[in-house]
Amino acid sequence: MVATVSPSTLFLILLFLSIPFSESNLTIDYYKNSCPQLENIIRETVTSKYISVPAAAAGTLRLFFHDCMVGGCDASVLISSNAFNKAERDADINLALPGDAFDVIVRAKTALELSCPGIVSCADILALATRNFVSMAGGPVYTVMLGRKDSLEWNISSVEANIPRANTTMDEIIRMFESKNFTVGEMVALSGAHTIGFSHCKEFAYRLFGYSRSTPTDPSYHPKFSAALKKLCANYKNDSDMAAFNDPMTPSKFDNMFYQNLKRGMGLLESDNGLLRHPRTSHFVDLYAFNQTAFSNDFARAIEKLSLSGIKTGNQGEVRRKCNALNTFQT
């Protein structure tokens, strides 16, 4: 009798053969004996937050991405500034990271410290919470390997070069992801995270009111969409909290509508619109706009890979007692 291996299992096997030894130390059941209530605590904490603040799903996914892109998935973005060093979370591009995303990690960590003190890292909590939020929003269920340690260092100067801005060119974004060993297809799939959440008007207002001298509004916007955005963001200079949904059609549902919107001239951010126009990315947009299953499968694989990026294990890190500070600085 010949044993068969599922595509998802085969992907994980191939992925593990290609990653450094420290990353392959992670396991699915890392906390099986040391913290058996982990999954239940994460589930209860995330569910409670999602019921009260559905937008926390997109916020936590964004927080996870911003953490992993700068030095790896090591919870360095959760650290607060102190007298000795300014934190990553205080970098300009991170200032809009939502408080509810930080809050759900704090709540989960507090509950876990009561149940199994000093065992579960903040990095693993963030990875698990993100997975649960994606699933609750209708996205794919994917595997999260466990055993990450929390970073012992952080550096605000590393942030800017590692996280795309709304107006970053597609060539620059491709280079940024390729430098971290991600393919163009994986980058396009991860960009589908913009199917949920919102962006502040200041991130795209130049496309509405000051695109060029001869053309104030970016012509790649659908005229009705840009008109609605102009009305929504009219007072953005005086109200920095003004924002629009990244996907105005199904803003709270994790689906492939983001890609369909791009093809309709409803790509909110210039960087998103670039996915449709660049020759190396446009065919992925076409695929995902047409095929929800292809997007879900590819996103799951890409975020599994992202979750293993630059992780710390063993004495490369620690398990923080509180997520916002190294143990050295805690009383």
Side-chain angles (χ1 to χ4, degrees):
M1 182 176 180
V2 179
T4 59
V5 179
S6 69
S8 60
T9 301
L10 179 60
F11 170 76
L12 286 174
I13 293 172
L14 294 173
L15 181 59
F16 264 65
L17 289 175
S18 67
I19 60 179
F21 176 75
S22 63
E23 296 182 15
S24 63
N25 286 338
L26 274 64
T27 63
I28 296 174
D29 58 354
Y30 185 85
Y31 299 106
K32 180 179 180 180
N33 297 320
S34 59
C35 192
Q37 292 301 311
L38 169 62
E39 288 283 358
N40 288 336
I41 290 173
I42 294 293
R43 186 182 306 109
E44 291 172 3
T45 306
V46 169
T47 300
S48 176
K49 176 61 75 172
Y50 187 73
I51 291 172
S52 60
V53 187
T60 305
L61 177 55
R62 185 181 175 200
L63 181 65
F64 181 65
F65 176 78
H66 281 224
D67 183 47
C68 294
M69 289 294 284
V70 182
C73 304
D74 57 10
S76 58
V77 75
L78 302 179
I79 295 175
S80 299
S81 295
N82 58 33
F84 306 98
N85 205 346
K86 195 170 184 180
E88 290 176 18
R89 65 194 291 177
D90 289 330
D92 181 66
I93 198 170
N94 284 338
L95 292 177
L97 291 173
D100 281 305
F102 289 97
D103 179 68
V104 74
I105 305 305
V106 170
R107 290 175 181 269
K109 179 62 171 175
T110 300
L112 286 165
E113 285 298 301
L114 291 173
S115 178
C116 40
I119 299 297
V120 184
S121 69
C122 301
D124 277 346
I125 293 171
L126 179 54
L128 287 170
T130 300
R131 178 204 63 187
N132 283 25
F133 271 125
V134 168
S135 176
M136 292 190 73
V141 177
Y142 57 89
T143 301
V144 174
M145 307 301 288
L146 300 171
R148 298 166 189 79
K149 291 295 179 64
D150 299 323
S151 174
L152 294 170
E153 57 185 15
W154 68 99
N155 191 347
I156 190 173
S157 63
S158 301
V159 174
E160 191 66 33
N162 287 284
I163 299 177
R165 285 187 173 272
N167 61 349
T168 303
T169 68
M170 191 49 54
D171 283 328
E172 291 175 305
I173 293 174
I174 290 172
R175 284 194 294 270
M176 191 179 295
F177 275 82
E178 286 182 336
S179 72
K180 302 177 188 300
N181 199 33
F182 286 92
T183 66
V184 172
E186 289 167 340
M187 180 273 289
V188 179
L190 288 171
S191 297
H194 281 179
T195 188
I196 55 176
F198 58 85
S199 295
H200 290 96
C201 290
K202 64 181 180 181
E203 299 295 332
F204 56 88
Y206 68 93
R207 297 184 69 197
L208 299 171
F209 306 112
Y211 188 66
S212 70
R213 287 186 177 181
S214 59
T215 310
T217 303
D218 187 342
S220 61
Y221 274 138
H222 188 286
K224 290 185 178 179
F225 186 54
S226 61
L229 290 175
K230 286 180 181 178
K231 184 176 181 180
L232 174 68
C233 297
N235 195 40
Y236 81 95
K237 290 183 179 180
N238 297 319
D239 185 355
S240 60
D241 291 332
M242 297 190 75
F245 288 121
N246 294 323
D247 168 11
M249 307 300 288
T250 56
S252 299
K253 184 179 180 182
F254 200 100
D255 56 18
N256 65 335
M257 188 61 70
F258 166 76
Y259 301 101
Q260 295 179 35
N261 289 338
L262 294 180
K263 296 172 70 66
R264 298 182 179 119
M266 297 170 64
L268 187 64
L269 305 179
E270 188 169 12
S271 55
D272 290 339
N273 189 57
L275 295 169
L276 180 66
R277 296 180 172 273
H278 197 282
R280 294 184 64 188
T281 58
S282 59
H283 61 289
F284 290 107
V285 173
D286 292 338
L287 170 63
Y288 296 149
F290 175 76
N291 192 325
Q292 167 73 47
T293 300
F295 165 56
S296 293
N297 291 341
D298 288 356
F299 178 86
R301 294 189 187 100
I303 199 167
E304 283 176 0
K305 181 175 178 178
L306 177 65
S307 73
L308 297 174
S309 178
I311 61 166
K312 314 299 185 293
T313 59
N315 60 9
Q316 295 173 331
E318 65 178 7
V319 175
R320 293 185 209 137
R321 292 188 294 273
K322 294 181 180 179
C323 292
N324 69 343
L326 305 187
N327 289 338
T328 302
F329 297 107
Q330 297 184 34
T331 55

